[in-house]
Amino acid sequence: MKDLPDLVVREAVSSIIWSVSSCILRITLGLVVLLAEHRSTVHGSGSSTEEEIMGVLGWFKGEILMTLSVLAGWVLCLFPRTVASGSAPGFVFASTWLLLPIQNMFGIIPNIPTRICEMSLGRLSKREIAVVLPIHFLGAMLGVFVAQFLSPSIVASHVVEPIIYSEGNPWLVDFIRETIINAVFTVAILVVPEIMKLNKIPRGFAVLFMWPLYNYSVDAAGTASTFGPDVIYALRCVGKNEEVPLGQFSHMIGPIVGGLLGGKIMSIFFPDDVSM
């Protein structure tokens, strides 16, 4: 496998860039939400961290800060409520706005379920996927570390805040939900951009087709899938210095099995052209 070293480098670099970019997007959305809720925060309903952040932003004149607050509210109107509430982590960590540009640069979608799906299509061998998976976990952790290090101390804790799912449902229920939605996600992210490309539609609009997937609940609290066990593990280890508990493992294993199922669907309905 003479191309394996090149694959390793591209997988590592793309996964680190994806991880850092996702954390930056997470911070940005968090600040937009804080600005949109500025008036309630002023009246003392925000947390101590929120009040501290708004205090830093307090050097803006009152009129400017209020204008930014209104603009932030308008921006949030463009997104589902689950994005503002933090219940749609997949919008941040599996956003087509990040994954597709990275694919353009490196020829790789840095997403574990998608890479497993591509293995089922024959684009990766079993040996290669055995190398790729640990790289993605390490790349995600390194990216989170870098984002935390580069972030101001006031928002660093938000960057590494773990994604914790409710354990109110039976383990099997959440596992089945994760498997189904990740299977659909892998098919969508591989097929939809290509259809848009054939029809000369900018691939940036692919996110509109992913909205329902980003909002599909996979636990009793209504939280959607992260579409990547690597980021769940990275945030848990870096943010809390602990392993992912067994009760949360449905959200670690589900995306992997979903990638395999997505690969089977792709091989039946959207097989690669072996003649090319």
Side-chain angles (χ1 to χ4, degrees), residues 46 150 209 211 228 258-259:
L150 296 178
F209 295 91
W211 269 157

Side-chain angles (χ1 to χ4, degrees), residues 43-122:
H43 287 88
S45 61
S47 67
S48 58
T49 302
E50 293 172 342
E51 292 174 357
E52 188 178 358
I53 294 174
M54 294 309 300
V56 172
L57 296 176
W59 61 271
F60 283 114
K61 290 184 177 179
E63 296 81 0
I64 297 177
L65 189 57
M66 186 58 66
T67 301
L68 291 176
S69 176
V70 172
L71 292 175
W74 289 349
V75 170
L76 285 183
C77 289
L78 302 176
F79 301 101
R81 292 181 180 179
T82 51
V83 173
S85 65
S87 300
F91 177 78
V92 173
F93 294 103
S95 174
T96 56
W97 290 345
L98 299 179
L99 294 179
L100 296 182
I102 293 175
Q103 182 191 29
N104 291 338
M105 289 188 290
F106 299 98
I108 290 171
I109 296 178
N111 175 264
I112 284 181
T114 304
R115 297 303 276 160
I116 292 175
C117 176
E118 290 177 311
M119 178 198 69
S120 299
L121 286 171

Side-chain angles (χ1 to χ4, degrees), residues 21-262:
S21 301
S22 297
C23 289
I24 292 174
L25 178 58
R26 192 184 201 191
I27 296 172
T28 303
L29 285 174
L31 290 176
V32 170
V33 170
L34 282 179
L35 281 171
E37 297 175 347
H38 167 59
R39 280 170 292 183
S40 62
T41 303
V42 167
H43 287 88
S45 61
S47 67
S48 58
T49 302
E50 293 172 342
E51 292 174 357
E52 188 178 358
I53 294 174
M54 294 309 300
V56 172
L57 296 176
W59 61 271
F60 283 114
K61 290 184 177 179
E63 296 81 0
I64 297 177
L65 189 57
M66 186 58 66
T67 301
L68 291 176
S69 176
V70 172
L71 292 175
W74 289 349
V75 170
L76 285 183
C77 289
L78 302 176
F79 301 101
R81 292 181 180 179
T82 51
V83 173
S85 65
S87 300
F91 177 78
V92 173
F93 294 103
S95 174
T96 56
W97 290 345
L98 299 179
L99 294 179
L100 296 182
I102 293 175
Q103 182 191 29
N104 291 338
M105 289 188 290
F106 299 98
I108 290 171
I109 296 178
N111 175 264
I112 284 181
T114 304
R115 297 303 276 160
I116 292 175
C117 176
E118 290 177 311
M119 178 198 69
S120 299
L121 286 171
R123 300 178 185 178
L124 288 171
S125 67
K126 292 180 180 178
R127 177 186 175 186
E128 288 172 329
I129 201 69
V131 174
V132 164
L133 292 184
I135 289 175
H136 276 263
F137 276 92
L138 292 173
M141 288 192 65
L142 182 57
V144 171
F145 270 121
V146 170
Q148 181 187 33
F149 178 77
L150 296 178
S151 300
S153 59
I154 197 172
V155 296
S157 61
H158 178 67
V159 173
V160 298
E161 183 179 351
I163 299 170
I164 301 176
Y165 287 96
S166 167
E167 299 179 21
N169 286 334
W171 189 93
L172 184 61
V173 171
D174 288 354
F175 170 75
I176 292 175
R177 287 182 176 181
E178 283 280 9
T179 299
I180 293 173
I181 198 61
N182 276 271
V184 176
F185 173 81
T186 56
V187 173
I189 201 167
L190 291 175
V191 173
V192 170
E194 295 303 318
I195 293 176
M196 300 183 76
K197 181 179 179 181
L198 290 174
N199 289 277
K200 298 181 179 180
I201 301 174
R203 296 206 303 173
F205 289 107
V207 70
L208 299 178
F209 295 91
M210 310 298 279
W211 269 157
L213 307 185
Y214 292 141
N215 287 279
Y216 181 82
S217 170
V218 294
D219 74 351
T223 306
S225 178
T226 308
F227 301 106
D230 47 351
V231 70
I232 295 177
Y233 181 81
L235 292 173
R236 196 86 184 205
C237 289
V238 177
K240 283 200 168 185
N241 296 315
E242 64 182 24
E243 297 290 334
V244 178
L246 289 176
Q248 303 274 311
F249 256 69
S250 56
H251 307 286
M252 297 283 290
I253 302 175
I256 294 174
V257 179
L260 291 171
L261 179 58

